[in-house]
Amino acid sequence: GGTSECQPDSVIHVQRTGAGLTCRSQVTYKTAPTRMRPETSSTARPAVSYDAWRHRYTLGVTGALVALLTAGGLVTSTGSGLAVPDWPLSFGQFFPPMVGGVLFEHGHRLIAAAVGLLIVILGAWYWAREPRTWARRLALLALFAVVVQGILGGVTVLLRLPTAVSVAHACLAQAVFAAVGFLALATSRRFVADRPEPLVRDGKVPTWSLGALACGLIYAQLVLGAVVRHTGAGLAIRDFPLALGRIIPPLQSAPVSLHFAHRVVAVAILLIVAWIATRVMKPGVAWRDLGAPAATAVALVLLQIGLGGAAVLTRLAVLPATLHVVNGALLLAACGVLTVRAWRGDRAARQEAPVAGAVPDPAAGSAGSIGARLGDYLALTKPRVTFMVLVTTAAGFYLGTRGPFDAGRLVLTLIGTLLVAAGTSALNQYAEREADSRMLRTRDRPLPAGRLAPSAALLFAVVISIVGLGILATGVNAVSAILAGLTLVLYIVVYTPLKRMTPLSTLIGAVPGALPPLIGWAAAQGSIAPGGLALFAILFIWQLPHSLAIARIYREDYARGGFRLLPVTHPDGGMTERQILLHAVALLPVSLTPTILGIAGPVYFAGALVLGLGLAASAVPVLFDRSTRAARRVLLVSVVYLPVLLGLLAFDRNILP
């Protein structure tokens, strides 16, 4: 009748008193036969403890399956499927001479036998020690599937590689890999012992549903890829990224239709994986559980598309064709891990749903509307700078064109350069996010303001940069892709850290800033010629007075950010002003070289002379008036100077032979 300490095996009644909450133990399970003890409940879950050795063994079997997939891919890529015509023996022997295609086919059989033995041990271990019924059944299902897999391998040899059997053999191998990989995840310490982090739902469709959709599409893509490989449709379309010179090829034959469908599904997978990544890589989302597999999935899907393109362009060379198969399995595994973790996080969030009337945590919700988020991603690319990069790239392409103008190549050049330039700007903001938070002119950028997570910005920058380089490499030419990659590396790896170390960083940073017109020239000609180098020189010297004027205007802000630019290290000595004038004067003769090289005519020569004199004249007053107003005047003149100069070049260019 009196109050007592609450016991876990009691039916608890709570009453509110003046002193707070009081627990009374009235009826225990023993006196209430209609209530069952937790340990005898039919719905109770079995106790699961982390078994390190079983987890490690399962991981090892998963790795062995990757080796088996690689061996199988090599058999198909090398055309060794019938190098050994009998089965289960090889030329009537257990160990025939390992030469030619026999090495790949019989090696594949030996690896398959070893993996089969490992899975037999796995099934027995799980049946004896695993308390979860579904895990035991999945292990036995994997064992049954690997037996069927071996039989299919033998049948496909004895029947001389029938398409249906070969495709089933390849797809079942991916299914076995997925099943054992899931067992490896389910026996990990994080899955068994750690409590999943609740995942806030972003939108009506939960993240795990998108992950499941991605997994389904990836497996369907693996099936479709197996059909393409085993029907000989891998080279039905021999160009990339276009298809028979078009975006959508004429679908007049089954091989072309199969091949193009494979590419369309790849694009769909890329979009879904990118959608998932933008969800999980932002503030307030469980990065520990979801960020790593999401980043891995994005990297793998980009690699998969690149390997597919390489396989086409190299006419199904062994290495890219085999890696394309193996990487597809790894992509399936990454999306599977992401899906399972997202599902557990969603379930944990539902179990911890707040009571009615609770005040929601604003930091746990969405990071903003879709429009605002897209605006933040756009801000990462520095649109005005990127637009000027495109202008100079287009000018270089136009001036470097010989013969008929190739509008399609120009479009691919601009798209690739746009993505690389945008990715470079985003990487720069990622690297300088802490310094930007201390500067008045940059503290409202998406990263220092906290509207985007650094991991999301990094992923975005890496993805668009890789895609841009891939477009230039496969759709334009290697020289333009190399120059674009050099631009990115010099800007991020060299120039960005040097800004904190020495004023010479401005001189070094002018190099990647001057490469876009050379990229355009190389895209048009496939090489670097004196005309392209002249454009590079003009852009290189033009940047120096332009950048120094900006640094002079925002000198105090750059000092707060810790940047050792010339106006910061020499605030009162007039060094910045003298350098502005020196480079403005040096630009004048360099700007005349296109006419000297025969790229442009006399109209350009006269216009460049007038523009150069005007820029130099605007720089003279800064020697005597070391004010922000004088530096701003130089900046405005330099902004007008460049597009007008390029316009004159385009107007008065000489057609190259």
Side-chain angles (χ1 to χ4, degrees):
T3 60
S4 65
E5 183 180 358
C6 298
Q7 300 295 328
D9 60 346
S10 301
V11 178
I12 307 300
H13 291 264
V14 181
Q15 66 180 16
R16 186 176 299 278
T17 65
L21 295 178
T22 303
C23 297
R24 288 190 298 110
S25 175
Q26 285 190 333
V27 183
T28 65
Y29 292 145
K30 294 180 180 179
T31 59
T34 58
R35 299 286 298 273
M36 300 181 65
R37 288 183 178 273
E39 62 268 23
T40 62
S41 173
S42 60
T43 61
R45 295 180 180 177
V48 182
S49 59
Y50 172 63
D51 188 331
W53 284 109
R54 188 161 75 248
H55 172 61
R56 292 167 186 164
Y57 182 81
T58 311
L59 274 179
V61 177
T62 306
L65 283 165
V66 173
L68 180 59
L69 290 172
T70 305
L74 284 171
V75 169
T76 306
S77 300
T78 58
S80 305
L82 292 178
V84 179
D86 54 339
W87 185 86
L89 297 178
S90 299
F91 297 105
Q93 306 176 45
F94 286 104
F95 297 101
M98 304 290 278
V99 294
V102 178
L103 171 64
F104 297 105
E105 170 62 16
H106 189 69
H108 176 58
R109 295 185 184 186
L110 292 177
I111 296 174
V115 170
L117 177 60
L118 292 175
I119 294 183
V120 168
I121 298 172
L122 180 80
W125 195 345
Y126 273 72
W127 185 257
R129 300 295 300 272
E130 173 58 54
R132 293 168 292 186
T133 302
W134 64 265
R136 294 199 304 271
R137 291 175 178 174
L138 185 59
L140 293 179
L141 183 62
L143 174 58
F144 173 76
V146 83
V147 172
V148 175
Q149 176 76 356
I151 296 173
L152 287 175
V155 171
T156 194
V157 170
L158 297 177
L159 297 182
R160 298 297 185 265
L161 305 181
T163 300
V165 179
S166 298
V167 170
H169 180 67
C171 297
L172 188 57
Q174 300 281 1
V176 173
F177 169 74
V180 178
F182 181 73
L183 288 174
L185 175 65
T187 54
S188 65
R189 182 187 298 275
R190 180 177 296 180
F191 193 99
V192 173
D194 294 353
R195 187 171 177 273
E197 184 175 350
L199 176 64
V200 177
R201 179 173 293 190
D202 183 7
K204 295 182 179 180
V205 180
T207 302
W208 67 265
S209 296
L210 292 176
L213 175 61
C215 289
L217 274 178
I218 292 169
Y219 191 79
Q221 179 76 329
L222 294 174
V223 174
L224 185 57
V227 174
V228 168
R229 283 170 64 86
H230 291 283
T231 57
L235 291 179
I237 300 176
R238 291 174 173 261
D239 52 340
F240 182 86
L242 297 178
L244 301 179
R246 305 181 185 183
I247 296 177
I248 300 178
L251 305 177
Q252 298 176 351
S253 66
V256 172
S257 300
L258 282 173
H259 189 124
F260 186 68
H262 190 59
R263 295 191 183 189
V264 171
V265 177
V267 174
I269 293 171
L270 173 63
L271 293 176
I272 293 176
V273 171
W275 184 6
I276 297 172
T278 57
R279 278 190 168 195
V280 305
M281 291 186 168
K282 65 181 183 180
V285 178
W287 162 260
R288 174 175 174 267
D289 283 341
L290 303 183
T296 302
V298 170
L300 289 176
V301 75
L302 291 174
L303 178 60
Q304 184 73 347
I305 292 174
L307 289 171
V312 170
L313 296 176
T314 60
R315 301 297 183 262
L316 300 182
V318 173
L319 182 60
T322 303
L323 291 179
H324 188 61
V325 175
V326 178
N327 191 72
L330 298 178
L331 175 60
L332 177 63
C335 285
V337 171
L338 174 64
T339 302
V340 172
R341 291 183 178 178
W343 176 78
R344 298 183 77 220
D346 185 74
R347 186 181 65 173
R350 284 187 277 108
Q351 291 175 346
E352 293 188 357
V355 296
V359 179
D361 180 8
S366 175
S369 66
I370 295 177
R373 194 177 303 166
L374 291 176
D376 287 333
Y377 279 106
L378 181 63
L380 286 178
T381 67
K382 298 181 182 178
R384 288 180 293 182
V385 175
T386 302
F387 175 74
M388 186 56 66
V389 169
L390 293 182
V391 170
T392 57
T393 303
F397 187 95
Y398 180 72
L399 294 168
T401 296
R402 295 180 175 180
F405 188 79
D406 190 343
R409 181 179 288 258
L410 173 62
V411 170
L412 288 176
T413 301
L414 292 181
I415 292 174
T417 305
L418 166 68
L419 293 174
V420 176
T424 302
S425 295
L427 286 171
N428 174 254
Q429 290 195 45
Y430 171 81
E432 295 182 347
R433 60 191 184 278
E434 294 184 5
D436 284 347
S437 66
R438 298 192 294 268
M439 298 170 59
L440 298 179
R441 62 187 289 261
T442 57
R443 63 185 181 185
D444 195 44
R445 287 176 174 175
L447 289 178
R451 297 193 302 273
L452 287 178
S455 56
L458 178 61
L459 175 65
F460 170 73
V462 171
V463 168
I464 62 175
S465 299
I466 293 175
V467 172
L469 291 173
I471 290 174
L472 291 174
T474 60
V476 185
N477 55 49
V479 180
S480 62
I482 291 172
L483 290 173
L486 182 63
T487 301
L488 188 150
V489 171
L490 287 176
Y491 197 91
I492 300 302
V493 179
V494 181
Y495 169 62
T496 297
L498 280 180
K499 289 166 68 176
R500 299 174 178 273
M501 301 167 61
T502 173
L504 293 176
S505 61
T506 302
L507 191 67
I508 297 171
V511 175
L515 285 174
L518 198 56
I519 294 173
W521 185 284
Q525 291 196 8
S527 61
I528 299 174
L533 294 176
L535 295 177
F536 170 83
I538 292 172
L539 264 291
F540 176 81
I541 298 180
W542 170 83
Q543 286 180 93
L544 299 176
H546 177 80
S547 301
L548 288 172
I550 295 175
R552 174 61 185 83
I553 295 169
Y554 298 104
R555 179 176 61 192
E556 291 80 7
D557 225 11
Y558 280 119
R560 278 191 289 268
F563 296 112
R564 293 182 59 79
L565 303 181
L566 191 60
V568 176
T569 59
H570 297 77
D572 301 317
M575 178 68 74
T576 303
E577 290 75 11
R578 290 194 294 272
Q579 290 291 324
I580 289 175
L581 178 59
L582 174 65
H583 296 306
V585 172
L587 181 59
L588 179 58
V590 174
S591 67
L592 303 178
T593 55
T595 299
I596 299 172
L597 294 173
I599 301 172
V603 174
Y604 167 78
F605 186 90
L609 183 61
V610 172
L611 288 172
L613 290 173
L615 181 60
S618 70
V620 171
V622 298
L623 291 176
F624 312 101
D625 181 12
R626 299 173 184 172
S627 64
T628 301
R629 183 179 61 181
R632 194 177 299 276
R633 187 162 49 243
V634 175
L635 176 62
L636 292 175
V637 173
S638 69
V639 169
V640 174
Y641 171 92
L642 186 61
V644 175
L645 184 78
L646 295 177
L648 283 171
L649 260 175
F651 175 78
D652 196 37
R653 74 157 183 156
N654 290 327
I655 304 298
L656 295 175

